[in-house]
Amino acid sequence: MNDFLKVHNAIRAKVGVGPMDWNNTLGTYAENYADSLIKTNCEMVPSRGPYGENLAKGKSSQTSEQAMMHWASEKANYDYASNSCTRNGGCDHYTQMVWRNSIHLGCAIVKCITDSVDLSVVVCSYGPPGNKVGQRPY
């Protein structure tokens, strides 16, 4: 819990956005959804639930911090002036992390074995959800 908050709040602080707090309801939602992904061979499909969401899948040695830093690296693809992602790649994970109105966070990491490969799945849920069309994250 603390690692998830620490990384998110450090990324948010870099652009002048206030800190998030941990929300047990969001944490439970993220954990339940992460557990459900195990049953689908860890296929990364959004939950389409009521919260903002970031998903990551990687080798079982991947830490939650590595997943979050991967999301944060999408900052390079975000153009603030046009409020859009560049042609070089997506930025929606990053903008959800720094969305100023998303002030509650809940995350989970689970192990998943698919085709004899050990994987980690990270799910973070955000409330209220961000990435509203036509609005800037900060």
Side-chain angles (χ1 to χ4, degrees), residues 84-98:
S84 63
C85 300
T86 65
R87 293 182 188 169
N88 297 331
C91 64
D92 291 340
H93 295 103
Y94 167 72
T95 54
Q96 177 57 83
M97 289 181 84
V98 299

Side-chain angles (χ1 to χ4, degrees), residues 6-15 69 72 94 97-98:
K6 181 180 174 183
V7 172
H8 274 80
N9 288 336
I11 300 300
R12 292 167 68 89
K14 289 180 182 179
V15 293
M69 294 312 292
Y94 167 72
M97 289 181 84
V98 299

Side-chain angles (χ1 to χ4, degrees), residues 3-99:
D3 289 342
F4 288 111
L5 277 175
K6 181 180 174 183
V7 172
H8 274 80
N9 288 336
I11 300 300
R12 292 167 68 89
K14 289 180 182 179
V15 293
V17 176
M20 303 179 101
D21 63 22
W22 186 262
N23 182 283
N24 288 329
T25 300
L26 293 174
T28 299
Y29 185 87
E31 186 172 353
N32 288 340
Y33 190 64
D35 286 340
S36 77
L37 292 174
I38 294 171
K39 299 172 189 165
T40 65
N41 269 344
C42 303
E43 185 177 337
M44 296 286 96
V45 176
S47 69
R48 307 256 187 253
Y51 308 113
E53 185 171 78
N54 279 342
L55 306 173
K57 176 171 69 174
K59 294 180 182 178
S60 62
S61 59
Q62 171 182 268
T63 65
S64 56
E65 184 173 352
Q66 288 169 320
M68 290 181 289
M69 294 312 292
H70 178 73
W71 297 334
S73 73
E74 291 180 358
K75 180 179 184 177
N77 301 331
Y78 178 64
D79 178 53
Y80 187 83
S82 67
N83 191 34
S84 63
C85 300
T86 65
R87 293 182 188 169
N88 297 331
C91 64
D92 291 340
H93 295 103
Y94 167 72
T95 54
Q96 177 57 83
M97 289 181 84
V98 299
W99 198 264

